[in-house]
Amino acid sequence: MGKRKDIRIGFGEAHLHTFLVFRSVRSSCTNIPKIIMNNGNEMPILGLGTWGATKDDAIIENVEVDEETDIGRTKPNEMDAVVATAIDVGFRHIDTAPLHKNEKEIGIALNKQIQEKKVKRDELFIVSKLWNTFHGPDDVLCGCKKTLENLGLDYLDMYLMHTPMGFKPGDDLFPIEKGSVSFSDADYVCTWQAMEDLVEQGLCKNIGISNFNLKQIARLLKHATIIPQTHQIEAHPFLMQTELISFCKYNDICITAYAPLGSPARPWARKDTENVLLKNSTVLDIARRHEKTPAQILLRYQVQLGHAAIPKSGTCENMQNNINIFEFELRSEDMQNLDSLNYGMRLFKFSGTRNHQYYPFERC
């Protein structure tokens, strides 16, 4: 399951990509369609993002944060209520990571919902990620087992390599030496091959990647036995990585969009750009015409592109709004107007790791 030999390194027709994606989406009992991935397994096209519980990303982004930026952001001890609300509303796809420092809290909340028979384990699609300090092939199993222990689960529905960059192994998320993050020379291809073993062991139903560039994916595919089921990337109208996305779709790798709303709660918001996606005039005009919220428009945009999306939300009202996007459709001119906003504004640059040999983005 999930193995394929006929790896295609190239591009196809854009309209063919769209047809294939929509052909592989079906409705579910929670009214959230599911993407059928390249191994035949299914992933809900809309999920709950849980990033934003800590300020640790400020280290990898090499920015300063203050107390004010923490206001309104979901804390780990609030995850019980957030997860309970998400499940009540209808979410089944929940995304977390060691970097979020909330795996334990999410695990407690999930198991409580299962024990109370609010949801069955096999109805859930739980995603976590292999952090950079576990990139050594001998460390991958340990990283996965640590996440499973934190979540109190026997298996993950999706396990992603968080980035292609390895850090020095240890207990710290960011091993700092002489004021900088200490890197390892672990090759992400070898890391991936160790992740493939996790599928054979039944610890992960699906595996994927996150924050890779096109060349890195092409190199990975040449050595992979299991094709990544998804590539989780920053994607919103200000940053639609068209070439990368086309390449992934051609190779049967579905896209999961993080920060689909422009990540308004990131700690360094307004320090990197004055452009706020949720307040963009084009987005607001489309929202008024459809009598929907700007967030609903942005999520519907991703869905119509055939992408899964994992918006972060901490309130019942926002979750209900976010999930209520499957009974209307953006018109072709709406899609074109949103496409026109693309000017390459990357919100997550991983600036603190720019010197890494496997840094995935253009160095600036």
Side-chain angles (χ1 to χ4, degrees):
M1 180 68 74
K3 297 183 179 180
R4 195 187 67 197
K5 298 297 184 183
D6 58 330
I7 299 170
R8 297 172 290 177
I9 307 296
F11 300 93
E13 296 295 330
H15 70 274
L16 177 61
H17 295 157
T18 302
F19 171 76
L20 289 174
V21 169
F22 277 102
R23 186 185 66 178
S24 64
V25 175
R26 72 172 183 84
S27 295
S28 71
C29 60
T30 59
N31 298 318
I32 296 181
K34 293 183 179 182
I35 293 175
I36 300 177
M37 298 178 290
N38 60 37
N39 60 356
N41 292 341
E42 299 175 332
M43 174 174 64
I45 201 167
L46 189 66
L48 177 73
T50 62
W51 176 85
T54 74
K55 301 177 185 177
D56 287 290
D57 283 82
I59 298 175
I60 203 169
E61 293 298 337
N62 196 27
V63 296
E64 294 183 2
V65 297
D66 50 40
E67 292 297 325
E68 184 178 350
T69 62
D70 209 34
I71 298 174
R73 301 175 65 227
T74 308
K75 312 299 190 300
N77 61 4
E78 298 171 333
M79 291 312 303
D80 188 356
V82 169
V83 169
T85 299
I87 289 175
D88 284 344
V89 167
F91 282 94
R92 297 294 180 264
H93 175 176
I94 297 175
D95 182 279
T96 185
L99 181 62
H100 302 180
K101 290 187 175 180
N102 59 15
E103 284 182 325
K104 287 185 178 180
E105 291 78 7
I106 288 175
I108 291 171
L110 288 174
N111 282 284
K112 181 179 178 182
Q113 294 296 304
I114 294 171
Q115 290 167 6
E116 293 178 354
K117 299 184 178 180
K118 300 286 184 64
V119 68
K120 296 178 181 178
R121 172 64 184 95
D122 61 7
E123 295 175 338
L124 295 170
F125 192 91
I126 307 304
V127 183
S128 194
K129 306 174 186 73
L130 179 76
W131 182 237
N132 300 358
T133 52
F134 291 96
H135 272 217
D138 293 335
D139 298 323
V140 169
L141 177 60
C142 178
C144 181
K145 285 187 173 180
K146 185 174 181 180
T147 280
L148 287 172
E149 180 182 359
N150 285 339
L151 290 169
L153 300 176
D154 296 325
Y155 66 90
L156 289 167
D157 298 276
M158 178 71 76
Y159 197 41
L160 306 175
M161 194 187 316
H162 204 142
T163 82
M165 302 177 290
F167 292 174
K168 180 180 178 180
D171 295 330
D172 296 331
L173 285 172
F174 298 94
I176 304 295
E177 293 184 1
K178 298 181 180 180
S180 300
V181 178
S182 180
F183 305 144
S184 77
D185 59 0
D187 187 332
Y188 58 84
V189 168
C190 298
T191 306
W192 180 257
Q193 291 169 339
M195 289 180 65
E196 292 178 332
D197 293 338
L198 301 177
V199 178
E200 297 294 333
Q201 296 174 50
L203 299 176
C204 305
K205 299 285 187 181
N206 309 279
I207 53 176
I209 54 177
S210 183
N211 300 302
F212 276 55
N213 63 35
L214 191 153
K215 290 182 179 179
Q216 290 168 339
I217 300 172
R219 177 171 177 257
L220 182 68
L221 292 179
K222 291 178 180 178
H223 301 278
T225 300
I226 298 177
I227 307 305
Q229 270 76 64
T230 192
H231 186 199
Q232 188 178 121
I233 58 172
E234 179 184 342
H236 45 75
F238 287 165
L239 182 72
M240 289 309 300
Q241 305 180 66
T242 307
E243 186 178 16
L244 174 64
I245 289 172
S246 294
F247 180 81
C248 286
K249 290 182 179 179
Y250 185 82
N251 285 283
D252 295 332
I253 302 170
C254 71
I255 297 298
T256 300
Y258 73 76
L261 308 181
S263 192
R266 66 192 185 280
W268 55 95
R270 305 303 294 269
K271 295 182 179 181
D272 53 349
T273 177
E274 290 299 313
N275 295 327
V276 179
L277 185 57
L278 286 169
K279 296 181 179 180
N280 177 269
S281 59
T282 297
V283 176
L284 292 175
D285 286 344
I286 296 173
R288 279 193 290 268
R289 285 198 297 272
H290 288 273
E291 297 183 338
K292 297 293 182 180
T293 69
Q296 287 174 317
I297 297 302
L298 294 171
L299 293 177
R300 182 67 201 183
Y301 175 66
Q302 295 296 334
V303 166
Q304 287 189 213
L305 290 171
H307 304 164
I310 48 170
K312 178 263 179 185
S313 178
T315 69
C316 181
E317 181 181 6
N318 286 343
M319 288 184 201
Q320 289 176 329
N321 285 336
N322 289 348
I323 211 170
N324 186 26
I325 61 170
F326 301 107
E327 295 180 354
F328 78 100
E329 186 172 350
L330 296 177
R331 296 174 294 202
S332 58
E333 56 265 36
D334 296 329
M335 296 295 287
Q336 291 170 3
N337 287 335
L338 290 170
D339 287 342
S340 71
L341 299 180
N342 181 24
Y343 69 101
M345 187 188 80
R346 187 179 296 279
L347 303 174
F348 295 85
K349 302 176 182 178
F350 298 175
S351 300
T353 60
R354 189 178 285 118
N355 294 327
H356 198 288
Q357 63 175 327
Y358 296 131
Y359 181 73
F361 310 134
E362 291 185 9
R363 291 177 173 84
C364 54

